[in-house]
Amino acid sequence: MVIHRFVRCVNNSTARQLIFNQCRKHAINRSIFTTPSFWAERLYTDKHEWVEVDGKTGKVGISQYAQEALGDVVYAQLPDVDTVLKQKDECGALESVKAASEVYSPISGKVVEKNTSVEETPSLINSSCYDKGWLFKIELSDTGELKSLMTETQYNEYLKTQEH
Amino acid sequence: MALVHRKFVMSAILSRFARAYSTPVQEKDIRKSVFISQSKDIFTNLALEDWLYKNLDFTNHHVLMLWQNDPCVVIGRHQNPWLEANVPALGALTDQGVALARRNSGGGTVFHDQGNLNMTFFTSRNHYNRRYNLEVITRAIFREYGLKLEITPRDDLTLRNCKVSGTAAKLGRPSAYHHCTLLVNTNKVHLSEALQKSDVGIETNATKSTKSKILNLCEENPKIKVPALYKVVGWEYLRTHALSVKDGGMELANQQKGFQMVNPTEKWFPGIEEIRDNLQGWQWRFGKTPKFTISRSFTVPEHLISQDVPDDLKVTMVVEGGKISDVNLYVPPGLVANGFSGNVNVITSLIGHKFSEEALDNLEWSLGALGSDKDKFVTDCVKQVMQSV
């Protein structure tokens, strides 16, 4: 709480980013050691994708915020199984109201499954973005990358900075 | 020329550094440019669009690209060309033929020719705003011609309830673009022939176009011509503030980077040829088509069927990645009983072939080798399924 208030006071955004990153690292380190269920948690990117890790496999989707921003999804183009992706690679597209929005992979690895239900019924992304509307599963090649992602609490804080 | 070339490469390099920082951008810090493409080739212009999207940094620099094409049909990124365009007729529609292209943005199919103006608005993803862009266009037309265009909830521009402009967009990180057409004096006969499509029995979840009544601006005001619109829309864009639709007059326009003629060649834009080749290749235009099935029924001629009850032969074809992946035949019992040998080798040999020309050639070749009338009939039906699209 104290930290958040402090962060808000800092107007220089580069400094704010630095402090924010440090806080984030602390928060992640802490949760690794204190929360055994850490891997089942959803982690977020600043581009509004999420990943839920179970062992070596991560399930990827887009956030509620992203789903709302897109509007009705009419077509989902997902990466094929066996595609090797690097973190932040373009790996698909979601089409809504005449706009194709690129999907970026939150982590590096090899695609092991894609959600064919979403290909058939793209509206699942709107109705159930964290559950039935997941996009693809990926076998992680570098679990260290997870440290660069935000926890749900951090992501919610991040969303506040995005609203003007 | 060499100078301009260096400028583009430099800004491409700079953009990579600039992206590392994400300080909020003030409206007053954003400069605008109008690029006018000197190519009339759809694949080159789409490649230019993609090159700019990938290589320029739009954080402090908004760009409007104005371009025109020789006759072509442009389908949306996730569309089915056989469902949207009159594919077999395109080649003979005009002297040089009508090209078929697939773009990177979403949305439906449009027809372009020299009577149509295309506008692409490049911004950072954070500043992507279709309404802003459409308002700039409507204000430009109103200022110059006193003509009021409406912006519909679907982001089309209409006049007298007829569509004069279609919109589509591509959103990525860190950049995005919105592009739209403006019908000025497009050949409506070519347009409707190129997009004419009867129900060919295709089932797919590909994005479908919404059919609309269209109007050329010249039908309302014959003085409106495409070359003049370059200036009209370009100046309006430059004199409008970057983030709010507020007129800054010529004072603001003169602070911008202004107009620039752009020659989309490899020399100016290293790598553009490769992008162009990919856009023109079969893999992107047809291979990218979302999976679909096409089915049709045929009445079996009386002399081929043994029983009195008329029955249909039904052909269903599955096409994945633009290639035939499965063919199913429903052969009526009467035809089987009357000596249809069930020689489906011809049919199975189609699997893996490109839909539809390559597969048709293959069928044509094997048709000659068939002896039985029944086999010929079945093969001919399969052929017709493909010829119909």
Side-chain angles (χ1 to χ4, degrees), chain B residues 249-263:
Chain B
M250 291 316 276
E251 197 189 329
L252 181 65
N254 287 326
Q255 289 168 24
Q256 313 287 13
K257 291 169 183 261
F259 288 83
Q260 199 166 337
M261 298 299 244
V262 167
N263 194 3

Side-chain angles (χ1 to χ4, degrees), chain A residues 57-77:
Chain A
T57 311
K59 192 157 84 175
V60 177
I62 65 163
S63 73
Q64 178 69 15
Y65 174 90
Q67 172 277 115
E68 280 173 16
L70 280 179
D72 293 342
V73 180
V74 294
Y75 190 83
Q77 181 207 318

